[in-house]
Amino acid sequence: MKEETNSMPAHDAPQVNYLNWSHTVKSWLLTGDHKRIAMLYLISVSAFFLVGSAAAGLIRLELTSPRGVLLENETYNKIFTMHGVVMVFFFLIPAIPAILGNFLVPLMIGARDLAFPRLNLLSWYVYMAGGVCAVIAMMTGGVDTGWTFYTPYSSMYSKSQVVWAICGAFFAGFSSIFTGINFIVTIHKMRAPGLTWFRLPLFVWAQYATSVIMILGTPVIAITLLLVVVERTLHIGIFDPKLGGDPVLFQHLFWFYSHPAVYIMILPSMGVISELMACFSRKRVFGYSFVAFSSLAIAALGFLVWGHHMFVSSQSMYQGMVFSIISTVVAVPSAIKVFNWTATMYKGSIRLETPMYYALGFLGLFLIGGLTGLYLSSMATDIHLHDTYFVVAHFHYVMVGGTIMGYLGGLHFWWPKMTGRLYSEFWGRLSAILVFLGFNATFMPQFVVGYLGMPRRYHYYYLMPEFQIWHVLSSFGSILLAVGFMLPAFYLTWSYLKGPKAGPNPWNATGLEWTTQSPPMSHNFDEPPIVTEEAYAYDAEAEEAEDIEEAPAAKPAHAPKPAGG
Amino acid sequence: MGNFPLMPEQASTFAGPYDVLFLVTTILTVVFTGLVSALVVFFALRYRKGNKVNRKGAHDEHLPLELTWTILPLILGLVIFFWAAALFTHMRSAPKDAMEIYVIGKQWMWHIQHPDGVRENNELHVPLGKPVKLIMISQDVLHSFFIPQFRVKQDVIPGRYTTLWFEPSKVGRYNLLCAEYCGTQHSEMGGFVEVMEQAEYQKWLASKGARNFDQKLTMEKAGEAIYKQYNCAGCHEANDSIRGPSLAGLFGKVVALEKGDSVTADNSYVREAILSPNDRLTKGYIASMPTYKGQITEEQTLQLMAHIKTLGVAQPKPTMAPAVSPPAGSTDPSVPDVRPTGTPE
């Protein structure tokens, strides 16, 4: 075992790294370093997550009573719109690509930086510009259209700050286009010698597939939202029938992007899970090429299923059938991934560290999220469930259970690389368990109340007071979930400031990012790495044999020793 | 709050087959989630680091296994798809003899009009065991007509008709909801559906009629009044004339258009031909008809079409309504104005 990685003397002169080479504000705000930009994203995306979560808390509070608790209808509608807009455009979409992807793609392929460092910085500024627009929309009265901006309500009827909110989403979209371009070029052109496509970590494959969706899909939503603004401000008839437009056209355009956007959220998370399953099972990911190509299959098929959001929208029956069957097929690549991850654990040497807790939690939640998609891709079952809390529960299982579990798992896995520090395993595992339990407690009741017929975006439900019990259960669950989400903010901050030094490779993981120091220096690698082996060259069997010989006292050789911490 | 309801009441003929499919999908979900979760937990415990178990012969890949777990979910998925598609086709194909009721959605109420003139708001009375077809349109934003106990839902859209059918199977009072977000009072846009025994329903229709006797007018009669008011017959005579095509027997006919294509005259086409007549001109005619957009409400359009449906039909269907003709253009004071507003609110 690589004992030397853990025995670095704590009193060493502080190494120069990307974080500490300069502390000036200018060195941060004008940086081209992908790692610093990732940190800028980490801070801003976390801030938006806080805003979105606060809105979610208010929603859960309101729904504990059939007649609401605090808010007026108008305010409630603005709160759930804010929750959706902020979480989708400013948290879920950028979270993994812009933070973990930004930080890791160059490191994983042995490059100094992304292909276009200044474009990368620009993407953060554009993201922030979008964020400022969204904040202006909130501060000047809010938006009440729902994050879907359905027309003609958004274009002609809503009296709220629709244009500002749309500007926010529009800018955020460009930021992800820039990130996508950067990743694609970088992955094509800047891989280290010897790093062939099929030696790439699956995380990189997932980022690649995501980038393809970003640059093909995002322009469509940008144009669509612009058309809403055109109709709203200039009264040019596009979506409102009173002006000669077609309201259903908007839904087609919107979902042409927004369904693939779900894959923008979930694919990077799947990439993280592949890394975690391999490292903490000490095995190569089972069926590497199936997992890699299933990402591409999802990216491609994901563009052909948008109509399953529109089975009751007046779309024709036959059109519905086409979308329904393709939606059924797109579930298969996701199933392939889940089965392959499970098989990866078989005969592994499994370490249940914090990131693995998150990965296992991901599996459970994503299974439920994915399988409940079957109810919604089947036209007959969708009719009753469409626009109810069943759908709300389903997509939270995919987006929160899928994306956030993967994001937090990845953040805990690479945190020692990003900051050079370790965090408390106890608190880490506790937060993973709380998030998992709290999440199920929050959203499982919503499946039931949705099947009972509770429509989404309802402030009051006094016509159906019998639903209250399920709403109350869900709201209690959300308290648990909130605690689970808050814990990392505390112990990771502590870790950043006072955590024990991590060393270059605390998990004893393979992958180029672990061969350089933690945190890495600005130029990532002193020598350009040369790759001579497949990804995930783990050997559970050999490691077990070694452990038994070397450490009969059951001292985990791989575990980070919090030396002097 | 004392009980834990687990499923909505079954009150239409769709509910039974729907719930069977729902249950089967649920079983699939539970079995797969359980199976994979159990495997994950089992592997995590058995192969935990330090456990002395046989780790020899682990694979990195295994094509037969990959094919199994690719093809098996695909087949199961397709079974559910075909099952659901068949049920969906049934749910979308209204029987020919279905009773037609008209629905207009507006912020934030449902306005319902029975063919014999009875109108109601946020309430829908229907007879037990008789297929009912709703023809629906919105006069402002998107709405969605949702009756959970019937397992039916259909978006209600401005500018085009959508339809929905069901056959109530149980007497009782059920939720009528709006499922598509439509603005401030979206969550309060609703009321109830009352399923009544046939005889009760007839009684209800009659009494409802008696209460508003003065305004009681079948949709066809109301449409006839509008037809006269706008002098539609001036151009649309019994036979095709130089000014306009005849409307006799129009519904269901294939109309050749000036641009060369053709269209089957259905509700949506006729509505468009009244409100924006020049968009799709009938072959051989020039754009001489004025547009009635903004002048005729959605409700009046529906009445006008009910009247046009009677043109050229030898024996108009007898209706239950007493043949009283009140002054043209009078409206029921108990019904809020559903006139479209020209400008957004």
Side-chain angles (χ1 to χ4, degrees), chain A residues 392-452:
Chain A
V392 174
H394 159 73
F395 72 69
H396 280 87
Y397 263 88
V398 175
M399 291 180 184
V400 185
T403 309
I404 300 191
M405 291 302 270
Y407 167 64
L408 287 177
L411 192 64
H412 283 86
F413 184 51
W414 284 293
W415 182 263
K417 178 56 60 183
M418 296 168 85
T419 63
R421 306 284 184 152
L422 297 171
Y423 50 84
S424 151
E425 265 298 317
F426 169 78
W427 289 105
R429 290 175 196 178
L430 183 68
S431 99
I433 291 170
L434 281 181
V435 169
F436 181 79
L437 293 180
F439 181 82
N440 280 306
T442 308
F443 291 100
M444 204 54 96
Q446 295 186 10
F447 280 123
V448 182
V449 84
Y451 178 42
L452 288 172

Side-chain angles (χ1 to χ4, degrees), chain B residues 180-297:
Chain B
E180 184 65 72
Y181 177 69
C182 58
T184 310
Q185 292 179 53
H186 165 57
S187 64
E188 297 175 87
M189 177 171 169
F192 61 85
V193 178
E194 180 112 26
V195 178
M196 310 165 96
E197 296 284 359
Q198 298 269 6
E200 290 290 311
Y201 177 70
Q202 298 303 345
K203 245 191 265 171
W204 174 82
L205 272 185
S207 70
K208 194 78 177 164
R211 210 167 65 201
N212 301 315
F213 192 78
D214 289 351
Q215 284 77 31
K216 173 92 172 169
L217 203 55
T218 64
M219 283 185 72
E220 291 154 12
K221 288 277 176 206
E224 192 179 352
I226 300 162
Y227 199 79
K228 282 194 184 126
Q229 185 192 341
Y230 289 98
N231 193 20
C232 303
C235 297
H236 299 285
E237 296 166 23
N239 295 310
D240 288 351
S241 73
I242 222 151
R243 279 170 298 181
S246 161
L247 302 181
L250 173 65
F251 275 85
K253 223 162 67 176
V254 176
V255 180
L257 299 177
E258 189 61 24
K259 282 176 187 154
D261 49 347
S262 63
V263 64
T264 306
D266 57 5
N267 288 331
S268 291
Y269 167 72
V270 176
R271 175 182 178 277
E272 181 195 314
I274 296 168
L275 299 180
S276 324
N278 302 333
D279 286 2
R280 288 198 275 182
L281 277 176
T282 308
K283 195 173 174 64
Y285 292 92
I286 55 161
S288 59
M289 178 170 158
T291 167
Y292 288 92
K293 202 177 227 172
Q295 299 184 44
I296 300 182
T297 63

Side-chain angles (χ1 to χ4, degrees), chain B residues 41-60:
Chain B
V41 172
F42 174 72
F43 288 162
L45 296 177
R46 179 172 171 84
Y47 297 109
R48 192 152 182 201
K49 177 191 141 58
N51 282 359
K52 290 192 188 72
V53 287
N54 178 15
R55 290 187 171 82
K56 281 191 179 33
H59 293 280
D60 283 348

Side-chain angles (χ1 to χ4, degrees), chain A residues 537-561:
Chain A
Y538 296 109
D539 190 342
E541 205 186 325
E543 278 185 38
E544 285 288 336
E546 207 173 327
D547 279 356
I548 291 162
E549 279 165 29
E550 272 186 16
K555 192 166 240 181
H558 76 282
K561 295 296 297 164

Side-chain angles (χ1 to χ4, degrees), chain A residues 73-74 144 156 242 246 287 311-314 340 347-348 350 375 381 383-384 386 451 458 462 470 547, chain B residues 5 18-19 26 47 49-50 55-56 60 66 92 139 153-155 157 160 178 181 184 188 344-345:
Chain A
N73 274 336
E74 193 76 38
D144 71 344
M156 298 300 287
K242 290 222 172 79
D246 181 349
F311 290 149
V312 299
S313 72
S314 80
N340 277 299
K347 297 199 170 180
I350 290 159
Y375 297 78
T381 29
I383 290 184
H384 171 68
H386 182 78
Y451 178 42
Y458 260 34
Y462 51 75
W470 296 110
D547 279 356
Chain B
Y18 179 96
D19 287 339
T26 306
Y47 297 109
K49 177 191 141 58
R55 290 187 171 82
K56 281 191 179 33
D60 283 348
E66 296 283 355
R92 279 297 180 84
Q139 66 172 50
K153 182 183 290 124
Q154 173 61 51
D155 282 6
I157 296 171
R160 76 170 71 160
C178 174
Y181 177 69
T184 310
E188 297 175 87
E345 297 169 7

